[in-house]
Amino acid sequence: MTAASILAEHGPREAMEYDVVVVGAGPAGLATAIRLKQLGAERGREVSVCVLEKGSEPGAHILSGAIMDPRGLDELLPDWKAQGAPLNQPVTADKFLFLDEHGAKATPDFFLPDCFKNHGNYIVSLGNVVRWLAQQAEALGVEIFAGFPAAEVLYDDAGAVKGVATGDLGVGKDGQATAEFQLGMELHAKYTVFAEGSRGHLGKQVIANFKLDAECDPQSYGIGIKELWEIDPA
């Protein structure tokens, strides 16, 4: 049974209307939702914003340790320190080494470009930062639906994006609806923001549909390697 045939048998899907739907509760998606709420309040207008997150909670799929420049947070939420943002460990030193078969040689600080210098930045768990951002967003009235991955881009009769649909629940491995079947929900919006990350599956669909990569150079990606140490808290 295909998705179309399931919808034909069990549909139509229930729909909810918002001003803005954001796909992905990462730093970018949550910052977008927070800023939209702030702009609405500044202009005396209620802006309805919904954020969809595939993880069980915001931050559940974000495992990165990171060096964070707080400039963006200063602009978005200037009172972040008073609000308890999890930026607790400032960077105290930078060290860059050139490795060879005989050992390592340190690079003098004055040789390093400014982008390699982290004075004023913080060492953070990005997952914890995202959880905190989600709390700030919800306090402003953003609706966050965790555990509901967006599965389909919805288009209107003119071909413009009109929102997304969440995936159906309770579909067996054979593609048939089980006793626990629950039809996905449509989320319609005036604006849909795709903040899934660089390889989001809906983002790739939108790029292909509107040929956004036509006559463009392909993007290149770097691979990062992280080492985690578990140490005695003492």
Side-chain angles (χ1 to χ4, degrees):
M1 183 179 291
T2 65
S5 60
I6 289 178
L7 181 58
E9 180 178 343
H10 297 273
R13 292 181 290 215
E14 183 179 350
M16 299 176 66
E17 301 287 338
Y18 292 92
D19 291 317
V20 181
V21 168
V22 180
V23 181
L30 291 171
T32 298
I34 289 170
R35 187 60 185 141
L36 287 169
K37 279 292 190 179
Q38 291 173 338
L39 290 171
E42 291 170 7
R43 299 172 184 179
R45 182 179 181 276
E46 179 62 31
V47 179
S48 58
V49 182
C50 165
V51 179
L52 283 178
E53 167 55 35
K54 65 182 178 182
S56 59
E57 63 172 342
H61 286 192
I62 297 181
L63 306 178
S64 174
I67 304 297
M68 182 173 176
D69 183 341
R71 176 180 172 182
L73 205 53
D74 289 337
E75 296 176 358
L76 182 67
L77 297 165
D79 61 343
W80 58 266
K81 287 185 180 180
Q83 295 296 327
L87 280 68
N88 302 314
Q89 178 57 59
V91 174
T92 58
D94 287 313
K95 183 179 290 187
F96 283 78
L97 304 175
F98 282 99
L99 307 179
D100 59 31
E101 64 271 24
H102 302 298
K105 297 180 178 64
T107 305
D109 288 347
F110 59 82
F111 279 151
L112 296 175
D114 288 343
C115 62
F116 283 10
K117 298 175 183 177
N118 289 289
H119 177 75
N121 295 344
Y122 289 81
I123 301 169
V124 301
S125 162
L126 199 57
N128 287 340
V129 172
V130 165
R131 291 182 184 92
W132 179 82
L133 282 173
Q135 294 170 5
Q136 309 312 304
E138 288 181 320
L140 292 171
V142 175
E143 296 183 34
I144 300 177
F145 297 147
F148 290 92
E152 179 185 353
V153 182
L154 304 175
Y155 300 93
D156 63 18
D157 294 338
V161 174
K162 70 174 184 179
V164 296
T166 62
D168 300 329
L169 303 177
V171 178
K173 293 181 180 180
D174 58 358
Q176 302 294 320
T178 68
E180 289 77 32
F181 177 79
Q182 182 178 343
L183 200 61
M185 178 175 292
E186 295 190 359
L187 300 168
H188 299 169
K190 299 172 184 174
Y191 298 94
T192 304
V193 178
F194 295 92
E196 308 169 284
S198 60
R199 302 295 292 168
H201 71 288
L202 293 190
K204 288 190 285 187
Q205 292 178 27
V206 171
I207 290 170
N209 185 67
F210 293 107
K211 298 180 174 58
L212 300 179
D213 56 353
E215 300 182 10
C216 294
D217 289 331
Q219 296 183 15
S220 58
Y221 299 89
I223 297 177
I225 300 174
K226 180 173 67 172
E227 182 178 13
L228 298 178
W229 291 11
E230 184 175 354
I231 61 174
D232 185 335

